[in-house]
Structures are given as C-alpha cells and as structure tokens.
Amino acid sequence: MRKLGVLVVVLCGAVLLAGCGSDSESTSGRPSPVEDGAPAATPGIRIQQAPNREQAPAPDNGQQVTARKEVVTGRVDLTAADPIAAAQTLTDRVARLDGRIDQRTENPGTGNTYPRANLVVRIPAAETDAFLNGLGEIGEVTEVSTNRDDVTMQWQDLDARITALQASVTRLRDLMARAANTADLIAAEGALADRQAELDSLTGQRRYLDDQVSLSTLTIDISTTADGKRDTGPSNFWDGVVDGWNSLIDWLKDAVVFVGQALPWLGFLAVIGVVAGAIARLARRRRAPRGNPAAATGRPAHTGDEAVVTAEKPAAAGENPADTAAAPPESAAGTSGAANRPDSE
C-alpha cells in the first residue's frame, strides 16, 4: 500500500510540473500586450480592437457617380450682307454636324423692309462652342447668349422610377402567369395596365430629356447690315422737296383708297335717307284731315265761289268797269275776301 501511495504522489507531481511548463512556454512565446502599446487584458475579459480605417476596404455599392447632364440653350444675333445666303450656309454646317433645323423663317424683303432670316438649330452639345466660334466666318456676330441648365437630379429621379416600375411590371406578369382564379388575374391585369402606362410616360420624359441634353438649341436671327441704319430724313432742300412730293403721293393714294371704301357706305346711306323721307311724307298725309285739302298740300285753297262773287259784284260809283275787269286776280281775291267778311257796322 505504501508503494502504491508513493506512485500516485509521483504521478500527480509529474502532471503538475508538465502543466506549469506549458503555461510558461506559451506566455514567453507570445508578445505582451503592454509591449505592443495596448493595455493589458484583464483576466476573464476579452478585448476586441477596432480595425484600422486606413486598411478597411470600401464597400462596393455599384456606380454612384453619374455624369453631369446639362441642357444648353442660346440665342445669336448675326448681321450679313445677304441674310438668305447666310441662312443656307448655316443649314449646311448644321447638316455636317449631324444636327437638324427645327424652324426656319426667311423674309426676302420688299421696298419698305429689309431681308431677314431666323433659324432654330439643334446641334450636338459637344460641338456647341466650336459652332459658335465659327459664326464669325458667315457674318458679324452682334450678340451671343447661352444658358446651361443642370438636369442631373431630374434625370436620376426619372431613371430610378423607371427601374422600379420595370421591376414591378415584371412581378405583375409573373403573378398573372401563376394566377389561380379569374379574380386574381383581373386584379393583376388592372395593376399591370396602370404600371405600364406610368412606365411609358416616364420613359417618354426621359427620352425627351436625353434629346435636350444631347442636342443644344440655338436661335439665330440674321439681319442685313443696312437694317440697323435709321432714316434721318432729308439733308438738303431738294431732298426735302422730293420727300414732300412722295408724302403727297402717298397721301393721295390713301385718300383714293379711302374714297373707294366710303362709296358703298355713301350709297347705302343715301338709300336709307330716301326710304326715311318717303315714310315721313306718307305718315304726314295720313295725319291730315280728309275735308281740308290745304292741310294735305300745305297751300291755301281757292274755290270757284269766290271768283263768281267777285265777277258779279257791281262796280262802285266813279270806277271804270274796264279797270275793274283789268284788275289782277290777286286784287279780285282780296276784294272777294273783303266782301265775304261780315260788315262790322
């Protein structure tokens, strides 16, 4: 028994010595946290150090930077000896740049106006500066104004909405393919129609925005060099006479035109006056008494009885019957009127 106890004690001591040796070797082979500049770890507490920020890889979230998108517009005032020929030259240059002409207006000019031309051109945005610099070869550039409108955020918003709608349309089509009954199929079709309509509208807006970004819009007004000269009037006596004569001729032309325009109105007014006078005379005749013709005609009526009385009246004493017979009718009328008056005595 004593030998067995001694053997057990020896084995226990050997095990203890082996454990202490392994701990000392592991401790001596590993660097101390204090030597590395880090605080010593407390037994039973595990310290996790933060990773170095300089060595941490950046997360890959896809392409985040979008190229800047600008809408370039401008206006140019150009003077040339022949605006029509200058407009044709500009048209040829735009065609060589793979652009297009959205609007073209030409006025050859008349006796009172000068020739002019107006163009609305669309050219690639990258060629805008070179195109503007080359306008001096066609004529004299009097004014140039350009504007650059940044639409990057608007384009990104449209693109994001279009992407989301495309994914929604794809899911709705899958739901339609797996629809178990008619009600689910009809609901999916209605939602798909709404999504598809909105998707088409946004796609059209983005297409229009892309066209505005890719092609600049320039309005070019071309006038002749004599258009800006103002007429200061005659400078001498003879020029004044000529200018006055021309003014008189112009006034006479205008007067003749006015008379020609007024003649139909004068005839119309004359017809209205004749009709109005006839109506007035007819109304006046209807208002006059039927037994008084003098009221209808407006003149005193002489009856035959007065003439008979005048003829039968005897000549007064001392009067010559020949003189009485030779008296004018007015005297006879006056005498007959006096005879018809009652005697005041």
Side-chain angles (χ1 to χ4, degrees), residues 170-188:
T170 302
R171 289 194 299 270
L172 287 173
R173 288 176 178 173
D174 294 340
L175 289 175
M176 289 176 60
R178 297 193 306 268
N181 50 46
T182 306
D184 295 342
L185 181 61
I186 293 175

mmCIF file with all atom_site columns, all heavy atoms in Angstrom, residues 170-188:
data_model
loop_
_atom_site.group_PDB
_atom_site.id
_atom_site.type_symbol
_atom_site.label_atom_id
_atom_site.label_alt_id
_atom_site.label_comp_id
_atom_site.label_asym_id
_atom_site.label_entity_id
_atom_site.label_seq_id
_atom_site.pdbx_PDB_ins_code
_atom_site.Cartn_x
_atom_site.Cartn_y
_atom_site.Cartn_z
_atom_site.occupancy
_atom_site.B_iso_or_equiv
_atom_site.pdbx_formal_charge
_atom_site.auth_seq_id
_atom_site.auth_comp_id
_atom_site.auth_asym_id
_atom_site.auth_atom_id
_atom_site.pdbx_PDB_model_num
ATOM 1   N N   . THR A 1 170 ? -42.520 43.401 -64.157 1.00 0.00 ? 170 THR A N   1
ATOM 2   C CA  . THR A 1 170 ? -42.062 42.006 -64.266 1.00 0.00 ? 170 THR A CA  1
ATOM 3   C C   . THR A 1 170 ? -42.735 41.122 -63.218 1.00 0.00 ? 170 THR A C   1
ATOM 4   O O   . THR A 1 170 ? -43.177 39.999 -63.515 1.00 0.00 ? 170 THR A O   1
ATOM 5   C CB  . THR A 1 170 ? -40.534 41.957 -64.112 1.00 0.00 ? 170 THR A CB  1
ATOM 6   O OG1 . THR A 1 170 ? -39.943 42.794 -65.119 1.00 0.00 ? 170 THR A OG1 1
ATOM 7   C CG2 . THR A 1 170 ? -40.026 40.540 -64.273 1.00 0.00 ? 170 THR A CG2 1
ATOM 8   N N   . ARG A 1 171 ? -42.846 41.617 -61.974 1.00 0.00 ? 171 ARG A N   1
ATOM 9   C CA  . ARG A 1 171 ? -43.501 40.833 -60.921 1.00 0.00 ? 171 ARG A CA  1
ATOM 10  C C   . ARG A 1 171 ? -44.981 40.626 -61.227 1.00 0.00 ? 171 ARG A C   1
ATOM 11  O O   . ARG A 1 171 ? -45.526 39.531 -61.001 1.00 0.00 ? 171 ARG A O   1
ATOM 12  C CB  . ARG A 1 171 ? -43.330 41.530 -59.572 1.00 0.00 ? 171 ARG A CB  1
ATOM 13  C CG  . ARG A 1 171 ? -41.903 41.483 -59.030 1.00 0.00 ? 171 ARG A CG  1
ATOM 14  C CD  . ARG A 1 171 ? -41.877 41.892 -57.563 1.00 0.00 ? 171 ARG A CD  1
ATOM 15  N NE  . ARG A 1 171 ? -42.369 43.252 -57.373 1.00 0.00 ? 171 ARG A NE  1
ATOM 16  C CZ  . ARG A 1 171 ? -41.608 44.336 -57.395 1.00 0.00 ? 171 ARG A CZ  1
ATOM 17  N NH1 . ARG A 1 171 ? -40.305 44.221 -57.612 1.00 0.00 ? 171 ARG A NH1 1
ATOM 18  N NH2 . ARG A 1 171 ? -42.128 45.537 -57.194 1.00 0.00 ? 171 ARG A NH2 1
ATOM 19  N N   . LEU A 1 172 ? -45.649 41.664 -61.730 1.00 0.00 ? 172 LEU A N   1
ATOM 20  C CA  . LEU A 1 172 ? -47.069 41.517 -62.055 1.00 0.00 ? 172 LEU A CA  1
ATOM 21  C C   . LEU A 1 172 ? -47.285 40.507 -63.178 1.00 0.00 ? 172 LEU A C   1
ATOM 22  O O   . LEU A 1 172 ? -48.269 39.753 -63.170 1.00 0.00 ? 172 LEU A O   1
ATOM 23  C CB  . LEU A 1 172 ? -47.657 42.880 -62.442 1.00 0.00 ? 172 LEU A CB  1
ATOM 24  C CG  . LEU A 1 172 ? -47.855 43.869 -61.284 1.00 0.00 ? 172 LEU A CG  1
ATOM 25  C CD1 . LEU A 1 172 ? -48.267 45.234 -61.801 1.00 0.00 ? 172 LEU A CD1 1
ATOM 26  C CD2 . LEU A 1 172 ? -48.907 43.338 -60.306 1.00 0.00 ? 172 LEU A CD2 1
ATOM 27  N N   . ARG A 1 173 ? -46.397 40.477 -64.117 1.00 0.00 ? 173 ARG A N   1
ATOM 28  C CA  . ARG A 1 173 ? -46.526 39.481 -65.183 1.00 0.00 ? 173 ARG A CA  1
ATOM 29  C C   . ARG A 1 173 ? -46.337 38.066 -64.648 1.00 0.00 ? 173 ARG A C   1
ATOM 30  O O   . ARG A 1 173 ? -47.011 37.120 -65.079 1.00 0.00 ? 173 ARG A O   1
ATOM 31  C CB  . ARG A 1 173 ? -45.518 39.786 -66.295 1.00 0.00 ? 173 ARG A CB  1
ATOM 32  C CG  . ARG A 1 173 ? -45.893 41.018 -67.119 1.00 0.00 ? 173 ARG A CG  1
ATOM 33  C CD  . ARG A 1 173 ? -44.843 41.346 -68.140 1.00 0.00 ? 173 ARG A CD  1
ATOM 34  N NE  . ARG A 1 173 ? -45.243 42.495 -68.946 1.00 0.00 ? 173 ARG A NE  1
ATOM 35  C CZ  . ARG A 1 173 ? -44.458 43.103 -69.833 1.00 0.00 ? 173 ARG A CZ  1
ATOM 36  N NH1 . ARG A 1 173 ? -43.221 42.660 -70.026 1.00 0.00 ? 173 ARG A NH1 1
ATOM 37  N NH2 . ARG A 1 173 ? -44.912 44.136 -70.527 1.00 0.00 ? 173 ARG A NH2 1
ATOM 38  N N   . ASP A 1 174 ? -45.428 37.907 -63.694 1.00 0.00 ? 174 ASP A N   1
ATOM 39  C CA  . ASP A 1 174 ? -45.258 36.591 -63.068 1.00 0.00 ? 174 ASP A CA  1
ATOM 40  C C   . ASP A 1 174 ? -46.513 36.203 -62.293 1.00 0.00 ? 174 ASP A C   1
ATOM 41  O O   . ASP A 1 174 ? -46.930 35.034 -62.312 1.00 0.00 ? 174 ASP A O   1
ATOM 42  C CB  . ASP A 1 174 ? -44.038 36.609 -62.149 1.00 0.00 ? 174 ASP A CB  1
ATOM 43  C CG  . ASP A 1 174 ? -42.737 36.786 -62.928 1.00 0.00 ? 174 ASP A CG  1
ATOM 44  O OD1 . ASP A 1 174 ? -42.736 36.509 -64.152 1.00 0.00 ? 174 ASP A OD1 1
ATOM 45  O OD2 . ASP A 1 174 ? -41.735 37.222 -62.318 1.00 0.00 ? 174 ASP A OD2 1
ATOM 46  N N   . LEU A 1 175 ? -47.107 37.196 -61.591 1.00 0.00 ? 175 LEU A N   1
ATOM 47  C CA  . LEU A 1 175 ? -48.340 36.897 -60.861 1.00 0.00 ? 175 LEU A CA  1
ATOM 48  C C   . LEU A 1 175 ? -49.472 36.505 -61.809 1.00 0.00 ? 175 LEU A C   1
ATOM 49  O O   . LEU A 1 175 ? -50.273 35.616 -61.501 1.00 0.00 ? 175 LEU A O   1
ATOM 50  C CB  . LEU A 1 175 ? -48.754 38.111 -60.029 1.00 0.00 ? 175 LEU A CB  1
ATOM 51  C CG  . LEU A 1 175 ? -47.877 38.440 -58.808 1.00 0.00 ? 175 LEU A CG  1
ATOM 52  C CD1 . LEU A 1 175 ? -48.337 39.737 -58.157 1.00 0.00 ? 175 LEU A CD1 1
ATOM 53  C CD2 . LEU A 1 175 ? -47.902 37.292 -57.811 1.00 0.00 ? 175 LEU A CD2 1
ATOM 54  N N   . MET A 1 176 ? -49.539 37.146 -62.952 1.00 0.00 ? 176 MET A N   1
ATOM 55  C CA  . MET A 1 176 ? -50.561 36.784 -63.929 1.00 0.00 ? 176 MET A CA  1
ATOM 56  C C   . MET A 1 176 ? -50.349 35.370 -64.447 1.00 0.00 ? 176 MET A C   1
ATOM 57  O O   . MET A 1 176 ? -51.310 34.624 -64.682 1.00 0.00 ? 176 MET A O   1
ATOM 58  C CB  . MET A 1 176 ? -50.542 37.782 -65.094 1.00 0.00 ? 176 MET A CB  1
ATOM 59  C CG  . MET A 1 176 ? -51.057 39.170 -64.738 1.00 0.00 ? 176 MET A CG  1
ATOM 60  S SD  . MET A 1 176 ? -50.906 40.332 -66.119 1.00 0.00 ? 176 MET A SD  1
ATOM 61  C CE  . MET A 1 176 ? -51.921 39.494 -67.346 1.00 0.00 ? 176 MET A CE  1
ATOM 62  N N   . ALA A 1 177 ? -49.088 35.008 -64.612 1.00 0.00 ? 177 ALA A N   1
ATOM 63  C CA  . ALA A 1 177 ? -48.808 33.651 -65.102 1.00 0.00 ? 177 ALA A CA  1
ATOM 64  C C   . ALA A 1 177 ? -49.166 32.594 -64.066 1.00 0.00 ? 177 ALA A C   1
ATOM 65  O O   . ALA A 1 177 ? -49.537 31.461 -64.424 1.00 0.00 ? 177 ALA A O   1
ATOM 66  C CB  . ALA A 1 177 ? -47.344 33.536 -65.494 1.00 0.00 ? 177 ALA A CB  1
ATOM 67  N N   . ARG A 1 178 ? -49.088 32.949 -62.759 1.00 0.00 ? 178 ARG A N   1
ATOM 68  C CA  . ARG A 1 178 ? -49.386 31.972 -61.698 1.00 0.00 ? 178 ARG A CA  1
ATOM 69  C C   . ARG A 1 178 ? -50.764 32.204 -61.076 1.00 0.00 ? 178 ARG A C   1
ATOM 70  O O   . ARG A 1 178 ? -51.036 31.683 -59.990 1.00 0.00 ? 178 ARG A O   1
ATOM 71  C CB  . ARG A 1 178 ? -48.323 32.053 -60.606 1.00 0.00 ? 178 ARG A CB  1
ATOM 72  C CG  . ARG A 1 178 ? -46.919 31.689 -61.080 1.00 0.00 ? 178 ARG A CG  1
ATOM 73  C CD  . ARG A 1 178 ? -45.988 31.476 -59.908 1.00 0.00 ? 178 ARG A CD  1
ATOM 74  N NE  . ARG A 1 178 ? -45.972 32.624 -59.004 1.00 0.00 ? 178 ARG A NE  1
ATOM 75  C CZ  . ARG A 1 178 ? -45.110 33.634 -59.088 1.00 0.00 ? 178 ARG A CZ  1
ATOM 76  N NH1 . ARG A 1 178 ? -44.202 33.649 -60.061 1.00 0.00 ? 178 ARG A NH1 1
ATOM 77  N NH2 . ARG A 1 178 ? -45.145 34.626 -58.214 1.00 0.00 ? 178 ARG A NH2 1
ATOM 78  N N   . ALA A 1 179 ? -51.600 33.015 -61.698 1.00 0.00 ? 179 ALA A N   1
ATOM 79  C CA  . ALA A 1 179 ? -52.913 33.304 -61.123 1.00 0.00 ? 179 ALA A CA  1
ATOM 80  C C   . ALA A 1 179 ? -53.738 32.025 -61.030 1.00 0.00 ? 179 ALA A C   1
ATOM 81  O O   . ALA A 1 179 ? -53.830 31.249 -61.998 1.00 0.00 ? 179 ALA A O   1
ATOM 82  C CB  . ALA A 1 179 ? -53.640 34.346 -61.966 1.00 0.00 ? 179 ALA A CB  1
ATOM 83  N N   . ALA A 1 180 ? -54.361 31.797 -59.851 1.00 0.00 ? 180 ALA A N   1
ATOM 84  C CA  . ALA A 1 180 ? -55.118 30.567 -59.627 1.00 0.00 ? 180 ALA A CA  1
ATOM 85  C C   . ALA A 1 180 ? -56.579 30.708 -60.030 1.00 0.00 ? 180 ALA A C   1
ATOM 86  O O   . ALA A 1 180 ? -57.236 29.714 -60.333 1.00 0.00 ? 180 ALA A O   1
ATOM 87  C CB  . ALA A 1 180 ? -55.031 30.152 -58.151 1.00 0.00 ? 180 ALA A CB  1
ATOM 88  N N   . ASN A 1 181 ? -57.099 31.945 -60.043 1.00 0.00 ? 181 ASN A N   1
ATOM 89  C CA  . ASN A 1 181 ? -58.502 32.132 -60.398 1.00 0.00 ? 181 ASN A CA  1
ATOM 90  C C   . ASN A 1 181 ? -58.637 33.390 -61.247 1.00 0.00 ? 181 ASN A C   1
ATOM 91  O O   . ASN A 1 181 ? -57.684 34.156 -61.434 1.00 0.00 ? 181 ASN A O   1
ATOM 92  C CB  . ASN A 1 181 ? -59.388 32.204 -59.146 1.00 0.00 ? 181 ASN A CB  1
ATOM 93  C CG  . ASN A 1 181 ? -58.838 33.204 -58.131 1.00 0.00 ? 181 ASN A CG  1
ATOM 94  O OD1 . ASN A 1 181 ? -58.469 34.312 -58.501 1.00 0.00 ? 181 ASN A OD1 1
ATOM 95  N ND2 . ASN A 1 181 ? -58.778 32.805 -56.865 1.00 0.00 ? 181 ASN A ND2 1
ATOM 96  N N   . THR A 1 182 ? -59.854 33.618 -61.706 1.00 0.00 ? 182 THR A N   1
ATOM 97  C CA  . THR A 1 182 ? -60.108 34.750 -62.612 1.00 0.00 ? 182 THR A CA  1
ATOM 98  C C   . THR A 1 182 ? -60.002 36.082 -61.885 1.00 0.00 ? 182 THR A C   1
ATOM 99  O O   . THR A 1 182 ? -59.539 37.074 -62.456 1.00 0.00 ? 182 THR A O   1
ATOM 100 C CB  . THR A 1 182 ? -61.503 34.612 -63.233 1.00 0.00 ? 182 THR A CB  1
ATOM 101 O OG1 . THR A 1 182 ? -61.613 33.323 -63.856 1.00 0.00 ? 182 THR A OG1 1
ATOM 102 C CG2 . THR A 1 182 ? -61.751 35.693 -64.262 1.00 0.00 ? 182 THR A CG2 1
ATOM 103 N N   . ALA A 1 183 ? -60.437 36.134 -60.621 1.00 0.00 ? 183 ALA A N   1
ATOM 104 C CA  . ALA A 1 183 ? -60.391 37.386 -59.869 1.00 0.00 ? 183 ALA A CA  1
ATOM 105 C C   . ALA A 1 183 ? -58.950 37.873 -59.710 1.00 0.00 ? 183 ALA A C   1
ATOM 106 O O   . ALA A 1 183 ? -58.651 39.063 -59.903 1.00 0.00 ? 183 ALA A O   1
ATOM 107 C CB  . ALA A 1 183 ? -61.054 37.210 -58.507 1.00 0.00 ? 183 ALA A CB  1
ATOM 108 N N   . ASP A 1 184 ? -58.046 36.963 -59.353 1.00 0.00 ? 184 ASP A N   1
ATOM 109 C CA  . ASP A 1 184 ? -56.639 37.354 -59.220 1.00 0.00 ? 184 ASP A CA  1
ATOM 110 C C   . ASP A 1 184 ? -56.059 37.797 -60.558 1.00 0.00 ? 184 ASP A C   1
ATOM 111 O O   . ASP A 1 184 ? -55.263 38.744 -60.630 1.00 0.00 ? 184 ASP A O   1
ATOM 112 C CB  . ASP A 1 184 ? -55.830 36.183 -58.671 1.00 0.00 ? 184 ASP A CB  1
ATOM 113 C CG  . ASP A 1 184 ? -56.241 35.820 -57.244 1.00 0.00 ? 184 ASP A CG  1
ATOM 114 O OD1 . ASP A 1 184 ? -56.879 36.667 -56.591 1.00 0.00 ? 184 ASP A OD1 1
ATOM 115 O OD2 . ASP A 1 184 ? -55.955 34.683 -56.808 1.00 0.00 ? 184 ASP A OD2 1
ATOM 116 N N   . LEU A 1 185 ? -56.455 37.141 -61.636 1.00 0.00 ? 185 LEU A N   1
ATOM 117 C CA  . LEU A 1 185 ? -55.953 37.506 -62.954 1.00 0.00 ? 185 LEU A CA  1
ATOM 118 C C   . LEU A 1 185 ? -56.419 38.906 -63.364 1.00 0.00 ? 185 LEU A C   1
ATOM 119 O O   . LEU A 1 185 ? -55.640 39.712 -63.889 1.00 0.00 ? 185 LEU A O   1
ATOM 120 C CB  . LEU A 1 185 ? -56.416 36.478 -63.985 1.00 0.00 ? 185 LEU A CB  1
ATOM 121 C CG  . LEU A 1 185 ? -55.962 36.700 -65.434 1.00 0.00 ? 185 LEU A CG  1
ATOM 122 C CD1 . LEU A 1 185 ? -54.447 36.679 -65.516 1.00 0.00 ? 185 LEU A CD1 1
ATOM 123 C CD2 . LEU A 1 185 ? -56.568 35.656 -66.354 1.00 0.00 ? 185 LEU A CD2 1
ATOM 124 N N   . ILE A 1 186 ? -57.706 39.211 -63.075 1.00 0.00 ? 186 ILE A N   1
ATOM 125 C CA  . ILE A 1 186 ? -58.233 40.533 -63.434 1.00 0.00 ? 186 ILE A CA  1
ATOM 126 C C   . ILE A 1 186 ? -57.558 41.623 -62.598 1.00 0.00 ? 186 ILE A C   1
ATOM 127 O O   . ILE A 1 186 ? -57.204 42.701 -63.110 1.00 0.00 ? 186 ILE A O   1
ATOM 128 C CB  . ILE A 1 186 ? -59.755 40.558 -63.241 1.00 0.00 ? 186 ILE A CB  1
ATOM 129 C CG1 . ILE A 1 186 ? -60.425 39.623 -64.262 1.00 0.00 ? 186 ILE A CG1 1
ATOM 130 C CG2 . ILE A 1 186 ? -60.293 41.969 -63.371 1.00 0.00 ? 186 ILE A CG2 1
ATOM 131 C CD1 . ILE A 1 186 ? -61.918 39.483 -64.080 1.00 0.00 ? 186 ILE A CD1 1
ATOM 132 N N   . ALA A 1 187 ? -57.352 41.384 -61.319 1.00 0.00 ? 187 ALA A N   1
ATOM 133 C CA  . ALA A 1 187 ? -56.683 42.370 -60.465 1.00 0.00 ? 187 ALA A CA  1
ATOM 134 C C   . ALA A 1 187 ? -55.250 42.610 -60.924 1.00 0.00 ? 187 ALA A C   1
ATOM 135 O O   . ALA A 1 187 ? -54.781 43.750 -60.978 1.00 0.00 ? 187 ALA A O   1
ATOM 136 C CB  . ALA A 1 187 ? -56.710 41.894 -59.015 1.00 0.00 ? 187 ALA A CB  1
ATOM 137 N N   . ALA A 1 188 ? -54.558 41.543 -61.281 1.00 0.00 ? 188 ALA A N   1
ATOM 138 C CA  . ALA A 1 188 ? -53.179 41.686 -61.749 1.00 0.00 ? 188 ALA A CA  1
ATOM 139 C C   . ALA A 1 188 ? -53.128 42.434 -63.079 1.00 0.00 ? 188 ALA A C   1
ATOM 140 O O   . ALA A 1 188 ? -52.236 43.265 -63.313 1.00 0.00 ? 188 ALA A O   1
ATOM 141 C CB  . ALA A 1 188 ? -52.526 40.307 -61.884 1.00 0.00 ? 188 ALA A CB  1
#
